[in-house]
Amino acid sequence: FLLESRFSISANYGQSLSRKSFLSAGVNYFERGNSPKRVNAFAEVIRQFTPLLRGVVGAEYGKGDGFESSFGVKVGLTMLLGRNSRASGAFESRRDLYRAAYSKGLEDRVGAFGYDASIQSSNGRSLADASLRYRGNRFDARFLVSGSGDGIGNIGDTRRAQMQVSTSLAYADGVFGVGRPINDGFAILSPHPSIKGEVIVGNRLNGGEYQAKSGLLGGAVVPNVIGYQTRELLYDIDSDETIYNTGNGTDRVRVPSRGGAKITVGDFRSVSVLGTVTAGGEPIAFASGTITSETDEGFPTGQFFTNYRGRYAMIGLAPGEEYTITLSDGRKFRVDIPEDTEGLLRMSDISIEEVRE
């Protein structure tokens, strides 16, 4: 057999020159077998001209890497153009390299698009490429096209197109889901069987944005949970017809590397109740009390309050059960939840007797 030796060493240095300028320098040495030894060194200053514009200027030295010149200079500019979008241009004399690029980053939400395009020329050889990325609920997709040739006018001499679709099959504690590619850990969220709606989960859920959604292909798969780190998930039920009680709408997970966790959103106590309580035709304002049940086994005693109009709201009640509300002055009334109740129940006004001396 053939035994080949390799050796490499590198060193880097960074130093702030001012609040907006930074110096970076480094050197790298590499050798392998009988191949020519390679040495590369550089020094550059990075300047933040404005919050949106950054520039770099520097010098470099190289030996043994096939370029005709050993010394060269390089300059570059990068400008932010909006949310996750940027344009850049660069020149490197040693490589005779000219490059311009534009990109828009892919946001971490379902339905997001990201794209980038670039064109460059080096030693008479030109290359152009562009890619489009899409983030779906169950997959990530990427479409890439490129062309190259001798000079800008012949950049289409060699052409290539490529499409990639990536997905994952996740399973945790009896729950299955198809989702985007998983790099480390993951979480699967699914609705309780009593809930007729789908779970959505994400860093923010306003404006219809979410990172994953449950459905026909299983639970909502959150693919970017880092092993052994606590991750807080924000979730809700996506339903146009019914409002469900999901508690505080958040949960924390901690999974091992390459492991997963299951979260069931909601439970059979998924009913919320709105109503008004009065006495003698007047609202009972700013009342307080407790909520108990003799039929709903295991129901924890809850707190009851009214506002200045006698309006009250109760959450976490179960269909087909009866609940007794006891006010702080001893008066009581009962709320019966019909068997077929889903989500929000609006009660008619409830009148109770005045307090008797």
Side-chain angles (χ1 to χ4, degrees), residues 21 43 46 82 94 176 211 243 262 293 296 305 310 337 342:
S21 298
I46 303 167
R94 184 165 171 265
F176 170 80
Q211 291 177 301
I243 300 174
K262 177 195 77 171
S293 177
D296 185 356
F305 302 95
I337 311 298
E342 295 181 7

Side-chain angles (χ1 to χ4, degrees), residues 87-145:
S88 63
F91 166 70
E92 298 180 17
S93 66
R94 184 165 171 265
R95 296 169 176 80
D96 191 27
L97 172 68
Y98 302 84
R99 187 175 190 274
Y102 175 80
S103 66
K104 181 181 184 299
L106 182 65
E107 298 180 46
D108 191 13
R109 60 178 178 84
V110 172
F113 284 92
Y115 47 84
D116 58 72
S118 68
I119 184 169
Q120 70 177 46
S121 176
S122 178
N123 293 321
R125 186 72 176 173
S126 298
L127 170 67
D129 60 63
S131 68
L132 175 66
R133 291 168 290 168
Y134 173 74
R135 175 141 293 165
N137 183 33
R138 307 291 186 178
F139 65 93
D140 278 341
R142 183 172 183 257
F143 181 67
L144 172 69
V145 293

